[in-house]
Amino acid sequence: MLRPVVLAPGHAGRPKNTYDSIAAFSAADFTEDLKSFDVPRLVIHGDGDQIVPIEASGRALATRVKM
């Protein structure tokens, strides 16, 4: 079950704007951009994220950036 604090931002905006934001967020792919990073980085991702699980995002990101 999603916590109310997660749902609150979606209730604050108009449905079309909320939908457009989610669509843009989910379609963004920064894989090619990650290849150009040439500075140290730290990937932080919680394991309790109900929207974007750590396996699909945080750990995947950590394996894609050059060290």
Side-chain angles (χ1 to χ4, degrees), residues 14-58:
R14 293 184 179 194
K16 170 87 168 85
N17 297 347
T18 301
Y19 175 81
D20 289 347
S21 296
I22 292 169
F25 176 77
S26 64
D29 182 4
F30 299 103
T31 305
E32 291 301 314
D33 296 325
L34 295 174
K35 294 176 183 176
S36 67
F37 286 22
D38 61 355
V39 295
R41 73 223 35 96
L42 173 64
V43 176
I44 299 176
H45 193 294
D47 60 1
D49 192 327
Q50 297 175 5
I51 305 299
V52 183
I54 190 169
E55 292 301 328
S57 181

